[in-house]
Amino acid sequence: MGSTERIKNVARRVAKWHDAGYQIVVVPSAMSGETNRLLGLANELMAQPDPRELDMLASTGEQVSVALLSIALHAIGKQAVSYAGWQVAIKTDSAYTKARIQSIDDAKVRRDLDAGKIVIITGFQGVDDVGNIATLGRGGSDTSAVAVAVAMKAQECLIYTDVDGVYTTDPRVVSEARRLKTVTFEEMLEMASLGSKVLQIRSVEFAGNYKMPTRVLSSLTDPMIPLEVEAASGTLISFEEDTNMEQAAITGIAFNRDEAKITVLGVPDRPGIAYQILGPIADANVEVDMIIQNQSVDGKTDFTFTVPRGEFAKSMDVLRGVKEHIGAASIVGDAKVSKVSVVGVGMRSHVGIASTMFRTLSEEGINIKMISTSEIKISVLIDEKYMELAVRALHKVFDLEKEV
Ligand code: ASP
Ligand code: MG
């Protein structure tokens, strides 16, 4: 919601659903740019403001939105009522700026809905045990919306955003990338690098845990497009059991450009060695992704893992500090690597996905540095300079540009 003009459009869209007989709870985010503006003000005063105060501040963005939307609905003759999270109440823990929702009281909202009102609740925030406002982290209104949908036992959670759905890959890399009509929760989580640009990933976890069908759709369409058209637009994030159509082998190609690889060479092959290497890395708050340990030769082995590129220098420092203690011969790294993954629940029922992937990469002359797999994903680590080539080649070989 960028302006009162846009808020009027949201109101008309909400009224359209309500007129069709649906009970509606709306969970708006702040007006665009507002959360950044507010946090910027705090940073003008202090480098590291107190998180509790930041939440007090940032939560106001959504409070403005709910009130304006309610007023816009009144202006077109609709009954509506707005609430801040604490009024509902949406209970959270006390991890300010990254709180988690613990419970939502549905009583008040249900009463309003039954009285024919449209209920509007602030996204992004709740209240902790001691009465402080706590926010859910950037993009958290997605998670608020899913959580409210779960609490209200909604038929579906519709998330209106500035993209029109989830794509087979990033359209900026592959122009033939296609919008997916459906994607499963698991695929969405595995495609976090694509999906997180669309939704806060925690909202997808939430939807998955509580089996809440969640649709990502465009907020930029004409608010008065026919309801049936709107209801079938975007991408539905659903459950595998629900998608009874013929599965394609692969659903999407995800990638992460900014990876780095670290190898600890010549470490003694004995119990505890992985812990001695990765323990200090974890203590430095670095998230490790792919890990391999080689076959040992003469009681020595090599141990390789990847970290986000931004954490590469820090990780190398940490390891140099423990090198003697581990008894490693040397530590080498490569900060110009990227990860490319093919993702799809169809992998469970199709064979030969890995070999098709590896053949395609070899035909392009791309060397694979590391491989990791899960039940519905195969990832490879390659030179950064081949990343886009790899994504395009894989998108093509798995026919992702074609409608299934
Ligand atoms: N307004 C918050 C943010 O900008 C929450 C959200 O938009 O989802 O991060
Ligand atoms: Mg958002």
Side-chain angles (χ1 to χ4, degrees), residues 29-30 35 62 124 137-142:
S29 179
T35 309
E62 274 71 11
F124 182 51
R138 297 309 303 271
S141 53
D142 298 335

Side-chain angles (χ1 to χ4, degrees), residues 29 138-142 159-161 198-200:
S29 179
R138 297 309 303 271
S141 53
D142 298 335
I159 300 196
Y160 292 85
T161 179
V198 182
L199 287 181
Q200 193 191 41

Side-chain angles (χ1 to χ4, degrees), residues 262-390:
I262 297 176
T263 302
V264 185
L265 290 157
V267 289
D269 189 12
R270 58 157 195 259
I273 202 69
Y275 173 64
Q276 280 175 36
I277 295 171
L278 295 180
I281 297 287
D283 293 342
N285 260 320
V286 176
E287 220 177 301
V288 169
D289 182 19
M290 302 166 109
I291 303 172
I292 46 171
Q293 184 186 320
N294 282 355
Q295 184 74 26
S296 65
V297 180
D298 300 333
K300 299 271 184 188
T301 184
D302 303 333
F303 195 93
T304 305
F305 60 95
T306 62
V307 297
R309 194 172 299 166
E311 311 273 22
F312 177 65
K314 176 160 104 179
S315 305
M316 289 294 278
D317 283 347
V318 166
L319 286 176
R320 283 190 200 105
V322 295
K323 178 173 165 246
E324 303 287 281
H325 175 68
I326 304 170
S330 61
I331 296 160
V332 293
D334 181 353
K336 284 209 156 52
V337 289
S338 301
K339 184 171 80 168
V340 175
S341 311
V342 299
V343 178
V345 291
M347 243 180 242
R348 294 196 180 114
S349 51
H350 288 74
V351 294
I353 304 298
S355 78
T356 302
M357 180 181 195
F358 302 153
R359 173 174 49 77
T360 306
L361 295 173
S362 90
E363 281 167 5
E364 298 292 341
I366 300 171
N367 185 34
I368 301 172
K369 295 168 183 286
M370 283 176 91
I371 301 171
S372 77
T373 63
S374 80
E375 214 186 325
I376 63 164
K377 174 167 96 164
I378 305 168
S379 302
V380 295
L381 194 74
I382 58 174
D383 259 339
E384 178 187 29
K385 62 174 182 273
Y386 297 128
M387 194 207 76
E388 300 204 350
L389 176 64

Side-chain angles (χ1 to χ4, degrees), residues 221-270:
T221 55
D222 176 352
M224 297 320 283
I225 58 168
L227 198 101
E228 321 77 70
V229 175
E230 187 167 312
S233 68
T235 301
L236 178 65
I237 308 168
S238 68
F239 314 93
E240 204 173 336
E241 310 91 76
D242 299 348
T243 46
N244 46 8
M245 55 181 169
E246 179 72 15
Q247 279 296 352
I250 294 301
T251 304
I253 315 286
F255 57 86
N256 194 348
R257 206 180 295 268
D258 303 320
E259 300 267 340
K261 175 172 80 104
I262 297 176
T263 302
V264 185
L265 290 157
V267 289
D269 189 12
R270 58 157 195 259

